Amino acid sequence: MTGANSPHHAAALVALDWGTTALRAYLLGADGAVLDSQASPAGIMKLPAGGFDQAFDETCGAWLKRDPALPVIAAGMVGSAQGWMEAPYIETPADASALVNGIVKVKAANGSTVHIVPGVLQAGTMPNVMRGEETQIFGALASDAALDNEPHGALIGLPGTHAKWAFVFKGRIERFYTFMTGETFGALRDHTILGRTMRATERPDSDAFMRGVDTAKDAGHAGMLATIFSTRTLGLTGQLAPEQQSDYLSGLLIGHELRGLNEVLAREQSNLAGKTLRLIGNDALCERYRVALARFGCNDAKTVGEATEHGLYRIAAQAGLVKAAVRASSKE
Amino acid sequence: MTGANSPHHAAALVALDWGTTALRAYLLGADGAVLDSQASPAGIMKLPAGGFDQAFDETCGAWLKRDPALPVIAAGMVGSAQGWMEAPYIETPADASALVNGIVKVKAANGSTVHIVPGVLQAGTMPNVMRGEETQIFGALASDAALDNEPHGALIGLPGTHAKWAFVFKGRIERFYTFMTGETFGALRDHTILGRTMRATERPDSDAFMRGVDTAKDAGHAGMLATIFSTRTLGLTGQLAPEQQSDYLSGLLIGHELRGLNEVLAREQSNLAGKTLRLIGNDALCERYRVALARFGCNDAKTVGEATEHGLYRIAAQAGLVKAAVRASSKE
């Protein structure tokens, strides 16, 4: 990695991805390139009262001592009611300008002004919220022009504890869904009878995973509360080894998530096979989703890299915190 | 309650409902009437090695000392691989004769022979199992002639930790489903983010419960993994008080169970509104299901009382353990 003081890679932005369980900090150049980065376990739920200043200084203090005028931007749960300062949600449909307008500023003890990006709320009787994912989504849009030009909009999935699926169209987040797939999997495995017959294993069993996906897709009409019991009964009847049951259950849940998403699409005369689709997240998890999506006929779900860094840079550029570089400004 | 030695109510059968977490014992007369009963926390998962004899003696010893020749029948997890003696599953379609043929006998230390009723297995790639519920189902059939005469079969629901829904036709359990509704509810409430914004309350909130049922029914097409997150977001947006969130989640899950069941019925050109339906279980839980079922157009879901006692008696009568009384023998 090129040093921050290299003349053609002068530091231009400190960008923070500050979530519930971790803080990642990036030092970005004027063109958005990552010059340096820091990872810290100082997620907002792990901080003592007043701990934001200390965590910020420990992570970014050296960069800012060298260049105190560097602008700072942050996204994620740091802007929640439990965060450093609340950045109230902006509502869907939401574009990058709306995010910029919703930025709140907090003055850090070290003299820097931290610009906190708001989350996005989809109001109504089935509300949905995101914090941090909106920034990743705009990062994906910034780095992939094809997404913005989709005539019927594109679909961006962010697998995880609370998986998000966002419908994006002409540079806006139109609406989105949250599937509690990761957290439900953990609760079922660790706190129901299903975990009792499982045996932990180092190596993922892709056959068992696919079997779970296919079961949800082809025999999931009674719903997840019914299909998950087969994790146990396939074991009782000798059809699924204890080492396979965890991956089978994971496949079942991801399969039900995609089945539900496909049902949403079906109501607008579409389906997963016909959508332009991107994934954002860690490689192993995105790969699980890619193979699961292929069972639903979707074979070109690309994973977008560095969506967080790109998103933070893009929003900072649009907010005028960094001089708009060619790559980003061409899109605004 | 009439004493067991009353001449016109001579004891004729000791009947045990022996599950994972509790043991209930009944002293029945020749006509099936309950003369006496005992409840014990000695479920099979709570017993030390060799504890079956002791628990049996503590619960039924006095009855058997008075009348050592009394036949003894037992149903439930006592017949599982972890039970007193394994009574291998019989397969669907299963009638009362098949259950009788599958009875295994264990000689107790006190000299009695305990007849253990087998569970029922639905084989295949989505297997299902029950132990104890089969006996309750035959109890319901014994006490309600209308069920046996349904031209298109009837549906019997047994709400609970692992809710069962059995399709019965001409005195047979044709097939059944298991919905892990109760256990999943507990895992989500106690071990995910959903529980964090809930406030416990003494009084059930029936409006919140119905709202959950309706949400699953009318807006549940994305599936349970998506709808459950609304428990949190309705709270965040001030639409659901902390005291209401538990009942809302309960309604959501029961609503998804019934939505799934309705989808199963839809594939055979039927629906919940058009089915003859009975419920077996504790009154409060059955009442929740009754009001939820009404939202699906099913307004005559009666709750069957004493299904366990009736079922144990009926199977014992058919096995020749008690002299077949008029009420039961008329059905065989």
Side-chain angles (χ1 to χ4, degrees):
Chain A
M1 205 168 280
T2 312
N5 291 328
S6 156
H8 53 283
H9 269 127
L13 178 68
V14 171
L16 307 177
D17 169 21
W18 205 334
T20 304
T21 58
L23 162 60
R24 287 194 70 90
Y26 303 93
L27 185 67
L28 303 182
D31 60 352
V34 177
L35 308 179
D36 199 359
S37 68
Q38 292 282 334
S40 156
I44 73 152
M45 290 307 183
K46 298 176 174 176
L47 295 176
F52 289 97
D53 263 308
Q54 189 185 336
F56 177 52
D57 207 51
E58 283 171 5
T59 315
C60 308
W63 298 335
L64 291 162
K65 189 167 282 179
R66 206 157 50 208
D67 188 352
L70 277 178
V72 182
I73 192 165
M77 291 298 282
V78 66
S80 70
Q82 294 78 40
W84 201 348
M85 180 177 283
E86 186 170 2
Y89 293 111
I90 60 163
E91 291 198 20
T92 53
D95 60 12
S97 301
L99 279 187
V100 166
N101 292 337
I103 285 175
V104 302
K105 300 176 193 175
V106 58
K107 192 81 179 174
N110 65 12
S112 292
T113 297
V114 180
H115 298 77
I116 302 180
V117 180
V120 177
L121 164 71
Q122 180 176 302
T125 54
M126 287 288 277
N128 252 304
V129 290
M130 56 167 66
R131 271 198 194 275
E133 293 93 346
E134 74 296 325
T135 300
Q136 297 178 290
I137 290 167
F138 284 108
L141 293 176
S143 63
D144 191 341
L147 288 179
D148 259 1
N149 298 327
E150 269 303 311
H152 303 291
L155 200 48
I156 299 182
L158 301 98
T161 308
H162 298 166
K164 305 285 181 189
W165 283 96
F167 290 75
V168 297
F169 184 56
K170 290 185 188 287
R172 292 189 305 269
I173 298 172
E174 293 284 338
R175 59 205 163 91
F176 59 99
Y177 290 80
T178 304
F179 293 83
M180 288 183 60
T181 309
E183 193 172 18
T184 300
F185 172 76
L188 292 174
R189 180 194 57 196
D190 298 338
H191 301 288
T192 73
I193 197 171
L194 300 182
R196 282 190 225 156
T197 52
M198 291 179 183
R199 194 175 301 144
T201 167
E202 290 296 303
R203 216 175 37 175
D205 187 317
S206 58
D207 287 348
F209 176 78
M210 291 311 308
R211 185 172 178 175
V213 172
D214 287 344
T215 297
K217 179 171 79 71
D218 301 330
H221 55 280
M224 197 197 92
L225 291 168
T227 57
I228 54 175
F229 195 59
S230 66
T231 311
R232 176 172 174 78
T233 56
L234 286 171
L236 286 175
T237 54
Q239 299 180 73
L240 201 62
E243 295 79 5
Q244 300 182 294
Q245 293 175 21
S246 174
D247 281 310
Y248 175 77
L249 180 63
S250 168
L252 265 183
L253 264 55
I254 289 173
H256 274 289
E257 175 184 331
L258 298 182
R259 183 189 177 97
L261 188 61
N262 223 7
E263 185 62 35
V264 168
L265 291 168
R267 297 186 172 213
E268 44 203 70
Q269 279 72 53
S270 181
N271 57 63
L272 283 169
K275 279 309 255 194
T276 298
L277 197 147
R278 296 291 182 274
L279 293 170
I280 298 173
N282 87 56
D283 288 340
L285 187 56
C286 285
E287 185 55 28
R288 283 168 99 80
Y289 272 72
R290 277 173 45 79
V291 297
L293 280 161
R295 301 301 251 219
F296 285 82
C298 175
N299 290 299
D300 63 347
K302 292 187 191 68
T303 300
V304 179
E306 301 191 323
T308 308
E309 301 90 305
H310 289 165
L312 286 163
Y313 174 79
R314 181 188 173 185
I315 294 164
Q318 185 148 351
L321 297 176
V322 289
K323 222 174 245 169
V326 176
R327 192 174 72 181
S329 64
S330 69
K331 301 195 52 68
E332 305 309 332
Chain B
M1 204 167 281
T2 313
N5 291 327
S6 155
H8 54 285
H9 268 127
L13 179 69
V14 172
L16 308 178
D17 169 21
W18 205 335
T20 304
T21 58
L23 162 61
R24 287 193 70 91
Y26 302 93
L27 185 68
L28 303 181
D31 60 353
V34 177
L35 307 179
D36 200 359
S37 68
Q38 292 283 335
S40 156
I44 73 152
M45 291 304 184
K46 299 177 174 175
L47 295 175
F52 288 98
D53 264 307
Q54 188 185 338
F56 177 53
D57 206 53
E58 283 172 5
T59 315
C60 309
W63 298 335
L64 291 163
K65 189 166 282 179
R66 205 157 52 210
D67 188 352
L70 277 178
V72 183
I73 192 166
M77 291 299 283
V78 67
S80 69
Q82 293 77 40
W84 200 349
M85 179 175 284
E86 186 170 2
Y89 293 112
I90 59 163
E91 291 197 20
T92 53
D95 61 12
S97 301
L99 278 186
V100 166
N101 291 338
I103 285 174
V104 302
K105 301 177 193 176
V106 58
K107 193 81 181 175
N110 65 13
S112 292
T113 297
V114 180
H115 298 77
I116 301 181
V117 180
V120 177
L121 165 70
Q122 181 176 302
T125 54
M126 287 286 278
N128 252 304
V129 290
M130 58 168 65
R131 273 199 193 274
E133 293 93 345
E134 73 295 326
T135 300
Q136 296 178 290
I137 290 167
F138 284 107
L141 293 176
S143 63
D144 191 339
L147 288 180
D148 260 0
N149 298 328
E150 268 302 309
H152 302 291
L155 200 47
I156 299 183
L158 302 98
T161 307
H162 298 166
K164 305 285 182 191
W165 282 97
F167 290 75
V168 297
F169 183 57
K170 290 187 189 289
R172 291 189 305 270
I173 299 173
E174 293 284 339
R175 59 202 162 93
F176 59 100
Y177 289 81
T178 304
F179 293 84
M180 287 182 59
T181 308
E183 193 172 19
T184 301
F185 172 76
L188 292 175
R189 181 193 57 195
D190 298 339
H191 301 287
T192 73
I193 197 172
L194 300 182
R196 283 191 225 155
T197 51
M198 292 179 182
R199 194 174 301 144
T201 168
E202 290 295 302
R203 215 175 37 175
D205 186 318
S206 57
D207 287 347
F209 175 78
M210 291 311 307
R211 185 172 178 177
V213 172
D214 287 344
T215 296
K217 179 171 78 72
D218 301 330
H221 55 283
M224 198 197 92
L225 291 169
T227 58
I228 54 175
F229 195 59
S230 67
T231 310
R232 175 172 175 78
T233 56
L234 287 170
L236 286 176
T237 54
Q239 300 179 71
L240 202 62
E243 296 79 6
Q244 299 181 295
Q245 293 176 21
S246 174
D247 280 311
Y248 175 77
L249 181 62
S250 167
L252 265 183
L253 264 55
I254 290 173
H256 274 288
E257 175 184 331
L258 298 181
R259 182 189 179 97
L261 189 62
N262 222 8
E263 186 62 33
V264 168
L265 291 167
R267 297 185 172 217
E268 44 203 71
Q269 280 70 54
S270 182
N271 56 62
L272 283 169
K275 280 309 257 191
T276 299
L277 197 148
R278 296 290 184 276
L279 292 170
I280 298 172
N282 88 54
D283 287 341
L285 187 55
C286 285
E287 185 56 27
R288 282 169 98 79
Y289 272 73
R290 276 174 46 79
V291 296
L293 280 160
R295 300 301 251 219
F296 286 81
C298 175
N299 291 298
D300 64 347
K302 292 188 190 69
T303 300
V304 179
E306 300 190 327
T308 308
E309 302 89 305
H310 289 164
L312 286 163
Y313 174 79
R314 181 189 172 186
I315 294 164
Q318 185 148 350
L321 298 176
V322 289
K323 220 173 247 168
V326 175
R327 193 175 67 177
S329 64
S330 68
K331 302 195 52 66
E332 307 308 330

